[in-house]
Amino acid sequence: MHQISANKDATRMAPAQLFDHLLTAIIVVDSQWRIQYVNAAAEQLMHQSARRLLTRPLTEQIQHASVDWAQIANTTRAGQSLTDSDVTWVVDGQPQKVQLSASPLFDQEDEGRLLLEVNVVSQQQRISKELTQKAQQQAAKELVRGLAHEIKNPLGGLRGAAQLLEKMLPDASLAEYTQIIIEQADRLRNLVDRLLGPQRPGLRQRQNIHVVLEKVRQLISLDNHEGIQIIRDYDPSLPDFEMDPEQLEQAILNVATNAADAISGQPNARLTLRTRTGFQTVIHGERHRVVAQIEIIDNGPGIAPHLQDTLFYPMVTSKADGNGLGLAITHHLIDQHQGKIDVNSWPGHTCFTIQLPIIEKDTLHE
């Protein structure tokens, strides 16, 4: 009886009061994206009170969104609803993964009003997506390795045949052509070796990650990247941990070099190397008590949205003269340290985040 009574009371509540009990963020905007109503969940999602949210259009309060606001407006203006389950938007400099639904509100007050429903993507969904991406990357890696071996085997025969042919040539001047064959075979072999990448973990030693980062900083500074301000934001409390310093240097250098290339020549170019200690972090479905978090941040033009999900696949690049191997090798090297690398990017901000588990001495013998 009490349950029925409570439900009857709930039906008498004003719509605004009902919306405040929802976990879904509800935002109503007019045709100019001016916010007319937000519920309590929306206030929490946007980190602001309703009073402040109502002062500016939504599109000005979202620093970046992976959705096209104009497309949403056009779709809903035609009387259709739209849902995107994989939206990244940035509020107060913090990226959020959300599911966004937009529906037109048909009323006489304003024909262009929209009802937006926003749900934060749960931790479990993020882990599931991460594991799926890891499986896809592993499949792509195995495919490339298979192709690389198929290419490498005949290259050896081609090179050997060219060397034998060179010895049998009646005219020494013709050796120029066999040398071209040998040089191109060697070039392809080197490319295939880079595709295959290091197959085994290197020599591990206890080292401080800041020693590695300082080497990367020095190399970037010396590599003709003039006008770039390199900012160091290190967490001195990060402990030493087991690593292959050379492999991690190569992994981080690949990312930092790409970042420096992206901002080279632009005014106020900044490259930030930041470290933090992470706690209770899930990496590839496994929870780690303490992790080292390394961020490489630049203020360049950003990475195109259609490249971000496949950025660590071999042969994927946005550079006209790039081969798409650097980040694939970086991903492989981080994997060998049981870590992970992610990217968040929008115009004016790109952040690569590397997380490496720190295994404490007292757990090594358990």
Side-chain angles (χ1 to χ4, degrees):
M1 295 298 291
H2 293 294
Q3 180 70 37
I4 295 174
S5 176
N7 287 339
K8 285 183 177 180
D9 290 340
T11 61
R12 298 191 186 102
M13 295 173 68
Q17 292 175 301
L18 289 173
F19 288 156
D20 279 339
H21 286 77
L22 295 177
L23 297 178
T24 298
I26 302 295
I27 305 173
V28 177
V29 297
D30 65 12
S31 57
Q32 302 301 314
W33 293 100
R34 291 186 294 257
I35 299 176
Q36 297 187 336
Y37 169 79
V38 291
N39 68 346
E43 291 180 273
Q44 184 176 4
L45 180 70
M46 300 291 290
H47 309 300
Q48 293 188 62
S49 66
R51 181 176 297 179
R52 293 191 62 186
L53 288 170
L54 296 177
T55 61
R56 287 190 299 152
L58 175 66
T59 50
E60 292 182 9
Q61 302 190 55
I62 304 293
Q63 296 166 359
H64 168 75
S66 61
V67 293
D68 186 339
W69 298 115
Q71 181 185 5
I72 292 176
N74 292 335
T75 301
T76 52
R77 194 177 295 121
Q80 301 177 4
S81 297
L82 179 147
T83 298
D84 191 332
S85 60
D86 188 19
V87 174
T88 300
W89 73 14
V90 183
V91 178
D92 289 338
Q94 298 298 319
Q96 299 173 327
K97 288 284 187 181
V98 300
Q99 177 178 295
L100 174 66
S101 297
S103 305
L105 286 177
F106 299 102
D107 54 31
Q108 296 179 352
E109 184 178 338
D110 186 346
E111 292 183 358
R113 290 209 306 172
L114 299 180
L115 173 67
L116 303 178
E117 302 170 65
V118 188
N119 286 292
V120 177
V121 176
S122 70
Q123 175 74 1
Q124 189 60 43
Q125 287 174 293
R126 287 197 295 269
I127 293 172
S128 177
K129 182 178 180 181
E130 176 187 308
L131 292 174
T132 300
Q133 288 179 336
K134 181 176 173 61
Q136 291 173 340
Q137 288 169 341
Q138 186 63 35
K141 189 187 300 180
E142 293 302 325
L143 174 62
V144 169
R145 283 181 179 172
L147 289 173
H149 282 297
E150 290 299 320
I151 295 170
K152 194 172 182 177
N153 290 337
L155 277 179
L158 182 66
R159 191 183 193 281
Q163 288 176 318
L164 290 174
L165 180 61
E166 185 175 307
K167 294 177 181 179
M168 300 173 62
L169 289 174
D171 187 348
S173 64
L174 296 176
E176 174 186 354
Y177 301 105
T178 55
Q179 280 301 310
I180 291 175
I181 297 173
I182 292 170
E183 289 172 3
Q184 293 303 307
D186 288 343
R187 185 182 67 83
L188 287 173
R189 184 185 61 191
N190 291 336
L191 175 63
V192 168
D193 286 340
R194 290 192 65 197
L195 273 172
L196 291 172
Q199 299 303 299
R200 295 179 181 176
L203 182 63
R204 299 294 177 94
Q205 56 181 286
R206 204 161 189 84
Q207 180 66 278
N208 191 289
I209 192 62
H210 298 128
V211 175
V212 175
L213 287 171
E214 280 300 287
K215 290 182 180 179
V216 170
R217 183 188 64 82
Q218 292 171 358
L219 290 170
I220 294 295
S221 299
L222 296 172
D223 195 22
N224 296 323
H225 289 109
E226 297 181 2
I228 297 178
Q229 179 188 10
I230 301 180
I231 301 169
R232 290 175 287 178
D233 182 5
Y234 295 161
D235 177 0
S237 68
L238 261 179
D240 298 355
F241 58 94
E242 295 289 329
M243 67 173 79
D244 181 326
E246 289 187 4
Q247 286 191 352
L248 285 186
E249 179 184 329
Q250 183 62 56
I252 297 171
L253 182 62
N254 288 344
V255 178
T257 299
N258 284 350
D261 289 343
I263 60 178
S264 184
Q266 79 173 40
N268 302 316
R270 294 189 307 276
L271 175 63
T272 301
L273 303 176
R274 177 186 295 162
T275 61
R276 292 292 184 269
T277 305
F279 300 96
Q280 301 300 335
T281 302
V282 177
I283 299 177
H284 304 318
E286 182 178 350
R287 184 177 296 277
H288 297 274
R289 200 176 75 83
V290 185
V291 301
Q293 183 167 299
I294 303 108
E295 296 178 345
I296 301 99
I297 307 167
D298 70 74
N299 62 338
I303 300 168
H306 71 277
L307 288 178
Q308 292 187 28
D309 285 343
T310 57
L311 195 61
F312 300 106
Y313 288 14
M315 315 306 288
V316 175
T317 181
S318 59
K319 295 182 180 179
D321 58 347
N323 55 32
L325 296 180
L327 290 180
I329 291 172
T330 290
H331 187 275
H332 180 64
L333 294 174
I334 298 301
D335 260 359
Q336 289 193 341
H337 285 76
Q338 290 77 52
K340 73 172 182 178
I341 179 169
D342 293 313
V343 62
N344 281 302
S345 181
W346 57 89
H349 177 93
T350 296
C351 177
F352 284 84
T353 302
I354 298 170
Q355 292 178 316
L356 302 168
I358 296 176
I359 302 175
E360 298 178 352
K361 290 181 180 179
D362 58 355
T363 64
L364 291 175
H365 304 292
E366 288 182 359

